Amino acid sequence: MDMLLRTTLCTGLILAASHNLTYAEQTQSDLAQSLSQAVSELSPRYSQVALLAMDMANRQVIYSQQAETLFIPASTQKLLTAVSAMAQLGADFRYVTELWSDAPIRKGHIAGSVYLRFSGDPTLTQADLKAIFASLVKQGINRIDGHLYLIGDKQEQLQAPGWVWDDLGICFAAPVSSYIINQNCIYGQFSPSTANKPSQVSLRTGSYGIKISSDAVFDQKAIREFCQLDLMRLGQNSYHLRGCYPGAEAIPLAIAVTDPLKFAQDTLTFQLKGEMLLAGKVQLGASLPKKAKLIASHSSAPLPVLLDTMLLKSDNLIADSLFKQLGKSYFNTQGSFTNGAVAMNRILTDLGIDLTNAKIVDGSGLSRYNLLNAKQLAAVLTLMHQDSRFSPLMASLPQAGVSGTLKYRLGYNKPPLKQQVFAKTGSMQGVSNLAGFIRLPQRSDTLFVVLENGMSPDVKKQHKMSFNAEFLQHLISILQLPSPTTEVVNIAIN
């Protein structure tokens, strides 16, 4: 070993001993000082930042800045949803969509009506509904002599308070209802004009009952100073596209339905025309008859699979459907955003999470009324890391450069962050958050929370690496420095 390095290390040991510091404490102090210097150089000038880093081997805080200040969490809120759902609903929970009837079956006919009870399954598809009725055919039933009644929650909260109005026509903010089919989202295309026809909107197969009119145009030479598309939601799953789009190529459309019940009615009306004869109509039902019997059903994947998709892909609909399910399960009543918020708060408090001054509004993080601080997010991550009930959730966190929302993110798809960072992202206008773990070879996990609020939209347009990526790069470089304890052993041997 270099003589100067030996002298420096020995001097460090003497100084640490003279100040009654352990080697670990000296190391933590050095880490904090190094990070503090890096943060002062990296911190954005026009936004607010909260930071927390902690060694999971000894639960010692490596660095902390504004860790008790409340921030908009965005999709890091889904960490709370995942832990709460596992605690309250359990790993065996599934959504079940059920078909019931109280009528006798005669010669392949159901001599009366049937009742389809929706459960708010965020993964239910048109193919799943088709399979339910196909199972009747396998039972020898090919006709329903009465009506098909759809049973679901009444007077539902379809969006949480604090959701941005501009987002409500977009699929990532689709209405959260007991009636969900194909994620309550329809797809289409807006095509430019040709010599024979004007610009037009076309919809994919399966967009039953959806109507979109348009007088929008393409600014193919991009000569207009102001050119923007605007989707007007007219109700009853009708829309109007207006304005202009700068370009000459067709663009895809992904539009959230406004009326989930009507979409369910229109979808089933069309499907049953092809699958079996329905003498009556598809309409809203009040409740199941007392003597009804279950005749067919469809189950979703179990909760761990749903949570895996929710965390990896940051799926808002799964998160908020589970959020309402928390309220339903905890209070034994119809689920809502209101009782889901109270349920989550109580569940996490019972698990030892201090949510003092926090504000919980939804499960997805779409609401700008949500407020959490870095310490609260760190407490949830610690629970995931150390409690066997929640530790399977660790495998569902996106891995930098490998999976989920961190697979292609700038700075995370190459060393030193690639494959070393496992974390939940949280992004929306003005918000760039990340919370998770750094996993380095031959070192204990390091928990971190980086919250940035008030970020200018112009920053994203610059296509530069985010502050959280730069901070984590510095954190990793410091964590990878040789341990003083290791060097002391070498000195003793030599």
Side-chain angles (χ1 to χ4, degrees):
M1 178 182 289
D2 183 89
M3 183 60 68
L4 178 61
L5 178 57
R6 292 189 189 193
T7 304
T8 303
L9 287 168
C10 290
T11 304
L13 296 177
I14 294 169
L15 288 173
S18 67
H19 288 85
N20 296 317
L21 293 176
T22 66
Y23 304 144
E25 288 171 336
Q26 184 70 24
T27 302
Q28 299 286 34
S29 176
D30 292 342
L31 284 174
Q33 185 175 357
S34 298
L35 278 173
S36 181
Q37 181 177 351
V39 169
S40 65
E41 296 173 356
L42 295 172
S43 286
R45 294 176 58 192
Y46 303 110
S47 56
Q48 299 80 47
V49 171
L51 301 168
L52 186 68
M54 183 167 66
D55 188 336
M56 296 307 292
N58 52 23
R59 301 279 297 277
Q60 291 294 311
V61 174
I62 298 170
Y63 187 80
S64 177
Q65 175 180 311
Q66 292 201 96
E68 295 186 6
T69 303
L70 295 171
F71 281 71
I72 298 172
S75 282
T76 59
Q77 180 89 358
K78 293 183 176 75
L79 295 169
L80 281 67
T81 304
V83 169
S84 300
M86 283 296 288
Q88 179 64 29
L89 304 177
D92 293 331
F93 170 80
R94 296 171 184 258
Y95 290 94
V96 183
T97 306
E98 302 171 327
L99 187 66
W100 297 72
S101 181
D102 61 346
I105 300 173
R106 300 183 183 131
K107 296 181 180 180
H109 289 213
I110 295 178
S113 296
V114 294
Y115 305 81
L116 186 61
R117 183 161 68 182
F118 285 78
S119 61
D121 180 355
T123 64
L124 187 71
T125 66
Q126 291 176 355
D128 295 329
L129 292 173
K130 183 176 180 179
I132 288 176
F133 288 95
S135 71
L136 294 186
V137 176
K138 291 180 181 179
Q139 298 175 47
I141 302 169
N142 51 41
R143 180 179 170 85
I144 299 170
D145 293 338
H147 300 295
L148 169 60
Y149 291 100
L150 307 185
I151 309 295
D153 292 339
K154 302 175 179 64
Q155 298 179 332
E156 297 182 292
Q157 282 183 288
L158 299 181
Q159 292 92 18
W163 284 19
V164 177
W165 175 260
D166 301 10
D167 293 343
L168 298 185
I170 305 172
C171 285
F172 68 71
V176 186
S177 169
S178 50
Y179 306 102
I180 299 176
I181 303 173
N182 291 355
Q183 298 182 307
N184 282 345
C185 177
I186 55 99
Y187 297 91
Q189 182 172 270
F190 180 44
S191 303
S193 60
T194 65
N196 300 321
K197 56 185 178 182
S199 301
Q200 63 177 1
V201 173
S202 56
L203 297 176
R204 286 189 195 172
T205 303
S207 305
Y208 305 117
I210 306 298
K211 298 178 181 178
I212 302 182
S213 58
S214 173
D215 59 8
V217 297
F218 279 77
D219 180 12
Q220 299 192 23
K221 296 182 179 180
I223 58 175
R224 302 190 186 196
E225 184 176 4
F226 302 104
C227 183
Q228 180 176 318
L229 279 180
D230 182 23
L231 181 71
M232 299 176 62
R233 297 180 297 118
L234 306 177
Q236 296 265 307
N237 295 333
S238 294
Y239 309 83
H240 181 72
L241 191 66
R242 64 183 181 182
C244 72
Y245 177 77
E249 300 293 328
I251 58 171
L253 300 174
I255 301 171
V257 303
T258 56
D259 190 335
L261 172 58
K262 184 178 184 300
F263 184 54
Q265 285 180 287
D266 291 337
T267 296
L268 285 160
T269 297
F270 182 89
Q271 283 196 331
L272 289 178
K273 286 180 180 178
E275 296 300 314
M276 64 169 50
L277 294 176
L278 176 67
K281 296 181 179 180
V282 179
Q283 54 193 37
L284 177 64
S287 60
L288 288 177
K290 291 182 179 180
K291 295 182 179 181
K293 294 181 179 180
L294 183 65
I295 57 175
S297 67
H298 168 79
S299 296
S300 73
L303 181 62
V305 177
L306 298 176
L307 294 178
D308 186 69
T309 301
M310 181 191 80
L311 291 172
L312 275 176
K313 298 184 178 181
S314 203
D315 191 299
N316 295 325
L317 190 59
I318 292 177
D320 284 320
S321 296
L322 288 172
F323 189 76
K324 292 175 106 176
Q325 196 70 33
L326 289 177
K328 178 180 179 179
S329 174
Y330 195 91
F331 293 106
N332 194 29
T333 187
Q334 177 176 315
S336 68
F337 285 101
T338 302
N339 58 30
V342 177
M344 181 181 283
N345 200 311
R346 293 185 184 179
I347 292 164
L348 292 175
T349 298
D350 289 344
L351 289 170
I353 308 297
D354 183 1
L355 291 172
T356 301
N357 295 324
K359 179 68 173 176
I360 294 173
V361 179
D362 64 14
S364 64
L366 277 175
S367 175
R368 288 185 171 269
Y369 295 167
N370 290 311
L371 289 172
L372 292 172
N373 64 38
K375 284 184 67 176
Q376 290 161 341
L377 282 167
V380 174
L381 287 169
T382 300
L383 201 61
M384 289 171 57
H385 191 271
Q386 299 188 342
D387 193 317
S388 60
R389 292 173 294 174
F390 311 114
S391 55
L393 295 170
M394 296 274 291
S396 296
L397 293 174
Q399 183 179 9
V402 176
S403 63
T405 53
L406 283 180
K407 186 171 184 178
Y408 302 109
R409 185 160 295 200
L410 185 64
Y412 291 90
N413 55 359
K414 61 182 180 180
L417 301 185
K418 185 176 181 179
Q419 298 182 330
Q420 313 292 349
V421 174
F422 298 78
K424 183 69 201 76
T425 53
S427 303
M428 58 169 56
Q429 180 97 343
V431 176
S432 179
N433 302 334
L434 197 69
F437 302 92
I438 295 171
R439 287 192 152 173
L440 299 175
Q442 300 180 334
R443 184 179 177 90
S444 59
D445 291 348
T446 301
L447 180 154
F448 68 86
V449 179
V450 185
L451 304 178
E452 183 181 0
N453 282 195
M455 186 175 66
S456 169
D458 292 337
V459 173
K460 285 190 176 182
K461 295 178 183 178
Q462 295 170 6
H463 299 291
K464 292 183 179 180
M465 194 159 52
S466 62
F467 166 72
N468 53 56
E470 291 184 322
F471 172 77
L472 292 180
Q473 284 188 356
H474 279 271
L475 178 56
I476 286 179
S477 66
I478 291 170
L479 292 173
Q480 288 177 326
L481 291 174
S483 168
T485 304
T486 303
E487 296 298 337
V488 170
V489 173
N490 290 335
I491 292 170
I493 292 173
N494 293 333

